[in-house]
Amino acid sequence: MSLLSILASGALCASPSVHDGDSIRCGGERIRIANIDAPELPGSPKCGDGRRAYAWCDYAAGYRARDAMQAFLARGPVMIERMGADQYGRTLALVTVNGEEAGRYLVKLGLARRWR
């Protein structure tokens, strides 16, 4: 997807805040970064119940992913392209800064995996 099409269909997130490596907030909107899975942070219910086999419960990597997402979003204007909602009611979106996708950036650093 080109930067022009993202800008045409996306929305500016003026003051994003990072929850973890694959989810942010834009104002009161909870946003799940599309197409990636990042390591969980301590306290994640996924790491304490039957989903542990499917969760990435490396907490040190979770902190690194969160911090990398924070640094990435600080690089410039944050654009979100909404794609729907996930099973938890969060907005599922592509998030870009200066035309670069947040998810691809974290995957490139080894701090997230592609989600299928």
Side-chain angles (χ1 to χ4, degrees):
M1 176 167 290
S2 73
L3 175 58
L4 183 56
S5 64
I6 289 173
L7 290 174
S9 64
L12 179 66
C13 179
S15 52
S17 61
V18 175
H19 174 71
D20 59 22
D22 53 24
S23 55
I24 66 172
R25 283 189 180 266
C26 185
E29 183 177 17
R30 297 178 312 142
I31 298 172
R32 172 79 157 104
I33 309 295
N35 303 322
I36 66 164
D37 180 42
E40 303 298 325
L41 292 172
S44 169
K46 290 180 185 177
C47 294
D49 63 21
R51 296 175 289 177
R52 185 174 179 90
Y54 303 103
W56 188 356
C57 298
D58 179 343
Y59 299 139
Y63 285 122
R64 288 193 305 276
R66 181 201 60 198
D67 295 348
M69 179 63 72
Q70 244 168 349
F72 179 82
L73 296 182
R75 291 180 175 181
V78 176
M79 300 296 294
I80 58 170
E81 181 184 358
R82 292 173 182 87
M83 303 171 68
D86 71 4
Q87 65 186 7
Y88 303 107
R90 298 174 294 187
T91 299
L92 188 61
L94 290 177
V95 176
T96 60
V97 173
N98 300 321
E100 185 175 7
E101 280 185 41
R104 286 184 187 199
Y105 176 75
L106 285 184
V107 168
K108 183 171 60 175
L109 293 179
L111 296 173
R113 301 185 274 219
R114 299 299 292 160
W115 182 257
R116 296 186 174 105

